[in-house]
Every structure is written in C-alpha cells, then in structure tokens.
Amino acid sequence: MKTAALFLEAPGEKGADVKFSLHNDVEGLINARRSFVHEGDPTGYSWALKYLDSYRHFERLLESTWFKEAFDQWVRELNMKNRADAIHKIKQIADEGNDTQALQASKYLAEAGWDKQAARGRPSKEELKGELKRLANLSEQTNEDLERIGGLKLIKGGK
C-alpha cells in the first residue's frame, strides 16, 4: 500500500485504505491538521510515529508537493498556536508575577515583542543550494507529470 493512499486529498484512486483528511473534519477519518497541531511538534516526528508508525513514511510524504504544501500550512498554524500560548502565559505573568517578572512581561506585551522580525542577512550558501535543489526537483516533477498526463513536453528556452 502506498502511504499517499491513506489521505483523502491525495492524487489517484481512493480505496478502503483512506484514514486521513489533510485539513477537514470528515466522518470516519482523522483530521491530520488538527491532530498535528494537537501533537505540538513542528518537526512532525511525534505525529509520524503516532499516526503512521514510521518516520520513513512521513519523509516519503514530504517528497510529494501536495503533502508538503499541507505540512507547511500545519507548521505555520502550530507556530501561531505556540505564539498565542506564549503570549497568554506572559499575560498571566504580567498579572500575577513578582514585580520584576511583571514589569518585563508588561513591557513585552506593550511593545508587541512577538511581532518583531529578526534582522536577517543574505541567505547562506547551503540555504541557496537547498532552495535551488528544491526548485529543480519541483521542475523535474512537473515535467514528469506533464509527460504522464498526456505526453506533453516542456519546451525550454524557446520562443
């Protein structure tokens, strides 16, 4: 069985193996987004072991564009949840903490400290290579999809 066959939104034929929906509550299926956010692990490792019984299956899913896009969305949502939880905790400290903690927490809240973007310089060579590799893989996958769909070929550099 293909790991992708476990997901309702995955491309291809659907059979009795479907166990997950990527984003929605569907009767009889596990909402993968909700369960991922509930696990609270942005690496996906805990979710993979609990729901897929193997991190290798998770790695294979991440090679698929449709799953990678969903996973990126799940991570963004989890990061927002973690940020909201942290702000809530800071508010509690501001209200109930000792004078030093309360002052720092109040200052952080007043200055919206969670909303400041860290100064970032030029991407490292490794980051650039990784992005170039990701784009090359995406281009190759797109070409393979076009050929598989109808024998279409992408003309490169043509006018």
Side-chain angles (χ1 to χ4, degrees), residues 31-99:
N31 182 327
R33 177 193 52 81
R34 187 182 311 272
S35 62
F36 178 85
V37 171
H38 180 74
E39 281 298 312
D41 174 14
T43 67
Y45 183 78
S46 298
W47 187 87
L49 293 182
K50 183 173 182 177
Y51 292 98
L52 302 176
D53 294 326
S54 165
Y55 187 71
R56 179 64 191 132
H57 291 299
F58 185 70
E59 287 179 316
R60 291 174 69 197
L61 284 169
L62 285 174
E63 293 171 3
S64 304
T65 305
W66 62 270
F67 186 83
K68 178 71 170 120
E69 290 171 358
F71 174 72
D72 289 344
Q73 185 179 350
W74 300 348
V75 170
R76 284 191 304 274
E77 182 175 340
L78 177 58
N79 287 339
M80 275 303 181
K81 179 189 177 297
N82 288 342
R83 184 180 284 181
D85 291 347
I87 291 169
H88 178 72
K89 181 69 174 171
I90 291 169
K91 284 181 181 178
Q92 284 181 324
I93 292 170
D95 292 341
E96 302 166 3
N98 67 36
D99 292 339

Side-chain angles (χ1 to χ4, degrees), residues 83 87 90 105-117:
R83 184 180 284 181
I87 291 169
I90 291 169
S106 296
K107 183 177 175 183
Y108 181 82
L109 292 170
E111 295 174 350
W114 63 87
D115 206 22
K116 294 183 179 165
Q117 297 291 327

